[in-house]
Amino acid sequence: MKRAGGLWPGIVAPEALHAAYLRARKGKRFTPDVLAFEAEREANLRQLREQLEDGTYRPGVYRTFTVRDPKPRLISAAPFRDRVVHHALVAAIEPAFENGFIYDSYANRVRKGTHAALRRYRDWCAAYPFALRCDVAKFFPSMDHDVLKGLLRRKLKDGRVLDLCDRIIDGWAPGLPIGNLTSQLFQNVYLDPLDHFVKETLGCRAYLRYVDDFVLLARRKAILRRWRDKLRERLAGLSLRPNERTFEIVRTSEGINWLGFFVTPDDCRLRRERRVAFRRRLRLLWERTQKGRADVSDLGVSIRAWVAHASHGRSRGLRRHLLFRSPPWRGGVPRGRPCAARGLVEQQSTELPLCESEQERAGEP
């Protein structure tokens, strides 16, 4: 297996670090840590480059917080200067791994994502009567550092690049932090052996994975039972174990929970907890705009993003209810006074798109 080398200049070159800085600040330009870095941008980038070159760079202290997505998750945010390094590193090494990933790995890859994975599963569940769905128990905290470092060394041979990867990996224990750009790449590297095992050793043609959620489909339940036992063994070899609560074989006609939707061959609906989470987020954003702590444009971005996501399932009535019939600003604006949020919704979301199942029911092309 040919390993990639000569990647270090692509990380520490001034233009590479500046491009990484621009990517790292995208969408976060006015946060305190970004503003502080930007105040002395050239000096900070020069210092970062010197520390990387002479080997004195050390990752900083993470800031941790909990989000509900919909279940509680501990998110860890690295200091901004570290995020610049993460972007530079990923841009340099990701091509060495990308060509080896299977087609049906959908997380954190160009032209992939949740909606592509959702469409792929919908195509397959119409053709296969049985599905085995699984997610890994405590995936990010369970990732073994030595296993990951060994997998990186199978593709990379540049010692300085590997040393930088090791420092980032060892900067958090146990496992890896949720939230790092490097963690997003490393999770694909870590589970790539599982992907190839399922496709090449088990011979499963209908397999797809999004982070640690994966599905195998087959025409007979007995085949999935055999595969389930072998999957346990392969996961154990990666120091992982399946979440037994979800490690089950179901009829695709009965539907499965997949990436925030409940999917059957004929229908696709947004799950209840996702609806509740958006309602809560919409209310919090509205309260922040009322207090002057957020711009109404932030509310618009959130609304448009959620409408685009929800429209992949049958949710037209839900979207109409949340945005028109019972929005958080209803009754919160005096009669006759213009409401920027209401105007934005009417402008951006008047024509709520139909998803594929809704188009079929309506007889639309």
Side-chain angles (χ1 to χ4, degrees), residues 44-99:
N44 286 328
L45 288 175
R46 184 169 58 252
Q47 181 189 52
L48 200 53
R49 182 172 188 268
E50 291 171 354
Q51 290 177 348
L52 288 167
E53 285 280 36
D54 62 24
T56 60
Y57 167 79
R58 295 293 184 275
V61 178
Y62 285 83
R63 177 175 60 89
T64 60
F65 54 95
T66 302
V67 299
R68 291 184 174 273
D69 185 33
K71 62 183 180 181
R73 294 181 185 273
L74 183 66
I75 305 298
S76 304
F80 181 71
R81 66 189 300 274
D82 291 342
R83 298 203 297 271
V84 174
V85 174
H86 296 171
H87 275 271
L89 175 64
V90 168
I93 70 173
E94 188 172 34
F97 295 95
E98 178 62 32
N99 288 339

Side-chain angles (χ1 to χ4, degrees), residues 174-186:
L176 293 183
I178 301 175
N180 272 8
L181 181 69
T182 48
S183 297
Q184 296 173 14
L185 172 61
F186 291 161

Side-chain angles (χ1 to χ4, degrees), residues 224-281:
L224 292 176
R225 287 198 192 100
R226 290 199 302 271
W227 288 351
R228 182 167 55 183
D229 294 335
K230 294 179 179 179
L231 280 171
R232 281 198 182 91
E233 296 176 7
R234 189 66 188 93
L235 286 171
L238 295 170
S239 300
L240 302 174
R241 59 184 179 83
N243 180 350
E244 295 294 343
R245 186 174 56 84
T246 63
F247 201 28
E248 58 182 358
I249 300 170
V250 299
R251 289 185 177 272
T252 54
S253 59
E254 297 174 356
I256 70 166
N257 293 319
W258 178 241
L259 302 180
F261 292 84
F262 183 76
V263 188
T264 69
D266 303 317
D267 201 5
C268 180
R269 302 193 305 274
L270 200 66
R271 293 177 60 186
R272 181 182 179 277
E273 53 264 38
R274 298 290 180 172
R275 303 196 299 264
V276 172
F278 175 71
R279 184 192 292 271
R280 184 186 303 116
R281 186 165 68 252

Side-chain angles (χ1 to χ4, degrees), residues 18 24 43 46 64 107 126 146 159 175-176 178 186 201 284 289 307 349:
H18 186 265
R46 184 169 58 252
T64 60
D146 291 335
L176 293 183
I178 301 175
F186 291 161
T201 304
L284 289 174
T289 61
V307 166
S349 307

Side-chain angles (χ1 to χ4, degrees), residues 307-308 310-311 313 315-316 319 349-355 358-359:
V307 166
S311 64
S315 59
R316 200 182 197 199
R319 286 174 273 148
S349 307
T350 300
E351 293 192 9
L352 301 175
L354 297 173
C355 72
E358 289 170 331
Q359 290 176 4

